[in-house]
Amino acid sequence: MVYAAILGYGTVGSGVAQVLEENKKVIAKKAGGEISVKYILDLRDFPGDPNQDKVVHDFQIILEDPEISVICETMGGREPAYSFSKSALLAGKSVCTSNKELVAAHGPELLRLARENNCNYLFEASVGGGIPIIRPMNYSLTAEEIDGITGILNGTTNYILTKMKREGADFETVLKEAQEKGYAEKNPEADVEGHDACRKIAILSSLMLGKTVHYEDIYTEGITGITREDFLYARELERTIKLLAVSKLNEDGCSAMVAPFMLSNTNPLHGIHDVYNAVFVHSNMLGDSMYYGRGAGKLPTASAVVSDVVDCARHQGKTVMCIWDEEETSLVDYRTTVRRFFVRVKGSVLEEAKAQELFGDISVIRLKERPEEYGFVTPPVREQDFEEKISRAEGVLGRIRLED
Ligand code: HSE
């Protein structure tokens, strides 16, 4: 029997208890023995809940109980999750977490503590919710040199962009509706400004490189500036708009970015709709592989946490290998990246000839329904050159990077 504790009985934490209960038999078979939740730590009580008797308010009770070998950290946020995780690992108790903020900020240190104390720090649920992506990167792709990861890593923004495209609606309207339906937080900043996706691509980049990529170093743009008009142009260009988290390795080093991109209809990520997530990985022997599924939500995320608990049960007293050193790596300056851009301008202000003079061989798109403006696609240009040219152009309404 493996005894576990759950820290935080919110959406994911209660999902962990539910998955462990409902799939008890199959989990016992796969783990090689039963897994039982002994404690649930929360500030609140849950009268009437089937697990009400397991609720405690003092972490020390869990820490000092020698029967507890696995802790599910589903609290989110930095503190007290960080202190609790550290204490647990130092006591030789494995920690399984869905907390991407903590993993992105302190992952390598917590992994080291796990190694030093013959236990595990596992974080499958921190990226892509229920989608297996951490374990494939750690176990399945070990024969590969991975050189590119492109992901739709945030369900909220993918839901908003999908609705904007389908309904021709503007950002604010769809955000409000998403908030009403519970698909977006009351304070949606972490999602819509790209911070959540940034932490997730920092984790994946660190696993790709085996060294620490700081999320603060990743250039991040959200989707608040995307308009319904942008989608009209995207349709004309046989493209769609997605918030991509991109990490690419070449001879100059690794470059990473989170930003909205106009994606061609032939890109496999083009068909990822609603709250779904997908991670597209390129590696040197396998080539392309893609991991797709529910990137958020109670049971999908809880399922990923429980898969880590099963891994801990299978590897008691041993550390599952995860190559992510504390050594830091710097990213290539994103401004040196060469790419094409879509630009939307007020036609009466920035004439086509002037745009051509600035950017060279542009292709122009005009929409019947928007005679007062036009859009154009630039030839490949370095980000910093693009910014310099665009700063000299008047009448610019917006710009979006292109990805084929
Ligand atoms: N807010 C996140 C999302 C939840 O929308 O993807 C999962 O990390």
Side-chain angles (χ1 to χ4, degrees):
M1 175 80 86
V2 166
Y3 287 101
I6 299 171
L7 311 187
Y9 201 50
T11 306
V12 180
S14 60
V16 169
Q18 186 178 337
V19 170
L20 282 168
E21 180 54 34
E22 281 186 27
N23 281 355
K24 191 164 35 189
K25 279 199 188 132
V26 70
I27 289 169
K29 208 164 163 191
K30 291 179 184 179
E34 215 177 297
I35 297 173
S36 170
V37 176
K38 188 165 178 184
Y39 302 109
I40 291 167
L41 181 80
D42 205 285
L43 292 171
R44 301 160 292 180
D45 285 306
F46 296 89
D49 187 282
N51 290 308
Q52 63 178 354
D53 296 341
K54 297 175 180 169
V55 175
V56 294
H57 305 298
D58 181 2
F59 178 63
Q60 288 306 316
I61 296 171
I62 296 169
L63 195 61
E64 285 163 17
D65 185 335
E67 268 192 340
I68 295 291
S69 61
V70 187
I71 289 179
C72 303
E73 187 271 291
T74 51
M75 312 177 83
R78 295 281 181 98
E79 281 296 355
Y82 177 47
S83 307
F84 288 175
S85 300
K86 266 206 306 201
S87 309
L89 295 168
L90 286 166
K93 298 180 194 299
S94 292
V95 176
C96 306
T97 186
S98 55
N99 187 341
K100 62 239 159 179
E101 198 185 332
L102 187 60
V103 177
H106 295 289
E109 180 200 356
L110 296 169
L111 282 164
R112 176 175 52 75
L113 290 180
R115 276 195 304 276
E116 289 169 359
N117 293 281
N118 302 318
C119 56
N120 284 290
Y121 185 64
L122 302 180
F123 47 92
E124 182 60 70
S126 66
V127 180
I131 307 172
I133 180 62
I134 304 297
R135 203 163 281 110
M137 288 197 64
N138 267 342
Y139 281 64
S140 319
L141 300 176
T142 42
E144 297 290 318
E145 189 92 58
I146 300 173
D147 58 17
I149 301 171
T150 308
I152 293 177
L153 298 179
N154 183 267
T156 303
T157 47
N158 204 41
Y159 173 84
I160 292 173
L161 292 173
T162 304
K163 288 278 264 186
M164 285 175 75
K165 177 183 174 170
R166 284 188 186 146
E167 295 172 10
D170 62 30
F171 172 77
E172 290 300 337
T173 310
V174 178
L175 171 63
K176 200 159 164 272
E177 199 186 312
Q179 284 171 316
E180 279 160 13
K181 287 191 173 160
Y183 290 142
E185 305 276 348
K186 276 202 194 87
N187 177 0
E189 193 185 330
D191 292 317
V192 299
E193 297 294 358
H195 305 316
D196 175 79
C198 170
R199 279 159 176 85
K200 291 168 177 169
I201 196 68
I203 295 170
L204 295 181
S205 304
S206 298
L207 291 177
M208 174 170 84
L209 301 170
K211 294 178 187 166
T212 298
V213 172
H214 288 295
Y215 68 86
E216 298 95 328
D217 295 343
I218 299 176
Y219 176 79
T220 299
E221 257 178 47
I223 62 162
T224 53
I226 300 297
T227 64
R228 52 194 292 278
E229 288 77 18
D230 291 329
F231 277 99
L232 297 176
Y233 286 102
R235 192 187 56 200
E236 286 299 306
L237 289 163
E238 299 187 337
R239 288 174 179 271
T240 192
I241 302 167
K242 294 285 182 194
L243 182 71
L244 296 185
V246 185
S247 185
K248 286 187 180 160
L249 184 63
N250 62 26
E251 56 281 1
D252 300 327
C254 179
S255 61
M257 171 183 279
V258 174
F261 281 81
M262 261 197 196
L263 202 61
S264 86
N265 282 359
T266 53
N267 189 300
L269 293 172
H270 177 273
I272 311 303
H273 301 308
D274 300 310
V275 292
Y276 281 85
N277 282 195
V279 191
F280 187 73
V281 177
H282 184 267
S283 55
N284 65 344
M285 298 291 145
L286 171 64
D288 294 332
S289 56
M290 192 154 113
Y291 309 84
Y292 167 78
R294 289 188 181 274
K298 177 175 174 165
L299 294 178
T301 310
S303 169
V305 176
V306 173
S307 78
D308 283 343
V309 177
V310 170
D311 227 359
C312 292
R314 285 176 175 178
H315 297 95
Q316 291 179 63
K318 277 193 225 132
T319 306
V320 174
M321 214 151 139
C322 174
I323 313 285
W324 177 357
D325 293 342
E326 281 171 281
E327 186 189 336
E328 296 169 8
T329 187
S330 51
L331 296 172
V332 173
D333 185 346
Y334 79 93
R335 288 169 300 183
T336 61
T337 311
V338 174
R339 62 173 93 253
R340 292 190 294 158
F341 286 80
F342 162 76
V343 185
R344 215 182 116 217
V345 293
K346 269 203 167 121
S348 52
V349 182
L350 180 64
E351 304 290 343
E352 238 178 87
K354 174 75 177 154
Q356 191 114 28
E357 196 185 299
L358 277 171
F359 291 98
D361 196 11
I362 57 172
S363 37
V364 172
I365 314 106
R366 289 192 179 274
L367 300 173
K368 270 197 253 67
E369 55 270 64
R370 308 286 301 175
E372 70 282 15
E373 59 170 81
Y374 69 96
F376 64 87
V377 173
T378 70
V381 53
R382 268 157 55 113
E383 288 252 2
Q384 65 187 27
D385 296 336
F386 174 82
E387 289 306 336
E388 188 274 317
K389 287 170 199 283
I390 209 84
S391 69
R392 288 194 276 133
E394 281 176 55
V396 175
L397 299 168
R399 53 109 178 95
I400 304 174
R401 295 169 177 85
L402 257 62
E403 174 84 1
D404 290 328

